[in-house]
Amino acid sequence: MSQLDAVLAHIDADQPQALERLFQLLRIESISTDPAHAAACRDAADWLAADLATMGFDAARRDTPGHPMVVGHGAAEADHAQGPHVLFYGHYDVQPVDPLELWTRAPFDPALEERPAGAVIRARGASDDKGQLMTFLEACRAYRAVTGALPCRISVLLEGEEESGSASLVPFLTENAGELRADLALVCDTGMWDRNTPMITVGLRGMTSETVTIKAADRDLHSGMYGSAAQNPLRILSRLLAGLHDATGRVTLAGFYDGVEDLSAEMRADWAKLDFDAAAFLGEVGLSVPAGEQDFPVLEQISVRPTCEINGISGGYAGPGFKTVLPAEATAKMSFRLVAGQDPEAVRDSFRAYIRAGLPADCSAEFSAHGGAPATTLPSEDPAYQAARAALSDEWERDAVFLSMGGSIPIVGHFQEILGLNSLLVGFAQKDDALHAPNEKYDLRSFHKGIRSWARILHRLAG
């Protein structure tokens, strides 16, 4: 039996104990956005630091102005001194559980449930991100148990504010950059393509968010006395927002597509092999007709193409009954998902210029920025990514796919900017895990095979 086979066999035999350890962590109510749960967040950090110590990590809770970080360093055994140094990242904080009445069981009372597709772990944080981070820790534990050593030099960074804005993260990374630098970051906060196909995320969209308020009269006006004669900010705003897209779904802002490149022919060929049904994707939410850029398939629209979306509009009276007024102001909240080559601030400037150019006399616009970050591109051709792809393909007996995500994971950009690290994004969440929603779950199969997958990845990286 090879060393890897022995590690995998240990993982299989240790599943009941691994599940109990996960349940212990899931019972801790580490809701980071609620000050009432600050003590629970500290408890989760202490639990993880103690667990890392049992695997030979030099680990400790690191207090911040917000919730603690957990940092651990695996001993650099002499025979691994020349191997890669990897930094694993996960987060132990979870989302609030509201609305509580929609849960089928207490959110912090984890249990296994048998479902038609297999057993699931039901609890808040089961998938996002406690179950995911524990897949990596359990792989490290198995290596320690079987070989007495980690397969390569491993450091661990676990955050407690990911679900509440990560206010302490950038200062912590900056202050501790020397200690945290490694050769590669490993992040387990993503998912699989489908239940049987593993995925490595190699692109993340960036984002620019903006609030615009258009003002006209100095107070709300009676629509019978002033209607038609006075400017209506809601009418102006509606016209301007409607003009942000043309009839083909393209965004009309000047310079919006500057730097945007089409998907490579190789990646497009790989994606064509995937079992993606655009009609079924939209049908799940009661829709049928794609609304994005007509020249691009839906899978590209939701992953590697930029977007301009209206997230909310307010103004005038929207309460019960009726109130016939011309509102003094109207507001819209906007978000732009950005891809490689786009400058977040250039997109913001173009949006503001478009609004200002479309204002009639007597009207003004005020803007409020809500952050911006560029897209992240990761090197799928790098040997580490190829090694991880081979490892995942071996475990799941299906070729792992390289894909770009439509969302954003800020830590990946921070690792690049502050630590000079690329991130290997591997996760085992499923599309129906109900992240951030009632009745969150994590497939038991994802937990078990996730541990085995990380063992295989570490083996390949070390080799």
Side-chain angles (χ1 to χ4, degrees), residues 54-112:
T54 68
M55 291 175 259
F57 282 85
D58 178 12
R61 186 188 84 197
R62 303 282 189 89
D63 291 332
T64 75
H67 299 302
M69 304 283 179
V70 177
V71 177
H73 299 290
E77 288 84 2
D79 56 336
H80 296 144
Q82 301 304 313
H85 178 192
V86 297
L87 173 66
F88 176 80
Y89 166 87
H91 65 91
Y92 64 79
D93 65 317
V94 300
Q95 283 278 323
V97 298
D98 308 83
L100 184 61
E101 65 273 12
L102 296 183
W103 285 80
T104 58
R105 61 177 300 108
F108 294 102
D109 180 23
L112 276 183

Side-chain angles (χ1 to χ4, degrees), residues 18 23 26 28 39 46 77 100-101 317 326 361 379 381 398 407 429:
F23 278 18
L26 290 172
I28 303 174
D46 287 337
E77 288 84 2
L100 184 61
E101 65 273 12
Y317 180 73
L326 304 184
E381 71 284 353
R398 185 173 294 195

